[in-house]
Amino acid sequence: ADPTARKIYVLAISPYDLGSDSVVTEYYSTHAFTSAPTDSPGNTYFQPILENALLFSRTLFDTGRIGGRSTSNNGNINLSNASGLLDHWTNYSFIGREIKVYCGGEGFEFAEFGLVFSGTCNGVSFTDLSIEIQLRDYHELLNVPLSRNFYGGTGSWDGGSDLIGKPKPLVYGY
């Protein structure tokens, strides 16, 4: 309710651990935070290494037009790795893995934090002192052709050479 109150952002990231062949979930925050025993995860200390909680934007219309579909500009999250706390991340696979960012405040239990972003990882880049996670929202998963059936150009029902590689129309009904 207080817009001037200090906000605590929490990153929940679920990479695939190549060493144990399993998905792990790790939590980090902008400010030191420990979850309550009744939270999920319970009694967990969230390392305060988030340099920026979330840089992400969405536009409602295509450039120069009123109307059309909304598009997202893939964003990023930066974490400090000056202490080497995240060196084990080199054993993780991140592409397409789930990322969530929550926002809460002083005195909140983790269950009271609100979800502000849910998406996937588009890539991770490492430097000596920091790690940048490139984001994409679930909207990007819909950016595929509706029909995956294309003309081969062999003639008849497969189309002529002028149609090679073009999608076949979808037809329903009689």
Side-chain angles (χ1 to χ4, degrees), residues 119-164:
T120 63
C121 180
N122 197 32
V124 176
S125 43
F126 296 85
T127 68
D128 289 339
L129 300 176
S130 65
I131 295 175
E132 179 181 301
I133 302 169
Q134 293 88 35
L135 305 172
R136 68 177 178 193
D137 68 352
Y138 289 120
H139 187 261
E140 285 294 314
L141 298 176
L142 299 174
N143 235 355
V144 295
L146 185 60
S147 174
R148 296 179 191 223
N149 195 6
F150 299 94
Y151 286 109
T154 60
S156 188
W157 293 103
D158 199 31
S161 61
D162 58 325
L163 293 177
I164 292 176

Side-chain angles (χ1 to χ4, degrees), residues 14-114:
S14 299
Y16 185 79
D17 185 348
L18 300 170
S20 67
D21 288 329
S22 62
V23 175
V24 296
T25 301
E26 297 190 6
Y27 300 90
Y28 303 99
S29 64
T30 53
H31 300 84
F33 175 74
T34 303
S35 61
T38 56
D39 281 331
S40 179
N43 293 325
T44 301
Y45 179 66
F46 295 39
Q47 290 285 340
I49 59 172
L50 278 179
E51 292 178 344
N52 72 303
L54 178 66
L55 296 174
F56 193 84
S57 64
R58 178 177 296 281
T59 55
L60 293 178
F61 307 117
D62 288 335
T63 306
R65 295 177 55 191
I66 296 178
R69 69 182 185 113
S70 67
T71 58
S72 60
N73 300 326
N74 296 336
N76 64 30
I77 295 173
N78 294 315
L79 296 101
S80 171
N81 193 32
S83 66
L85 179 72
L86 303 178
D87 287 351
H88 66 282
W89 277 25
T90 57
N91 297 322
Y92 289 167
S93 175
F94 290 93
I95 304 295
R97 303 304 310 166
E98 184 176 59
I99 294 176
K100 292 185 178 186
V101 177
Y102 300 88
C103 182
E106 292 286 332
F108 281 41
E109 291 187 9
F110 188 54
E112 297 173 312
F113 277 58

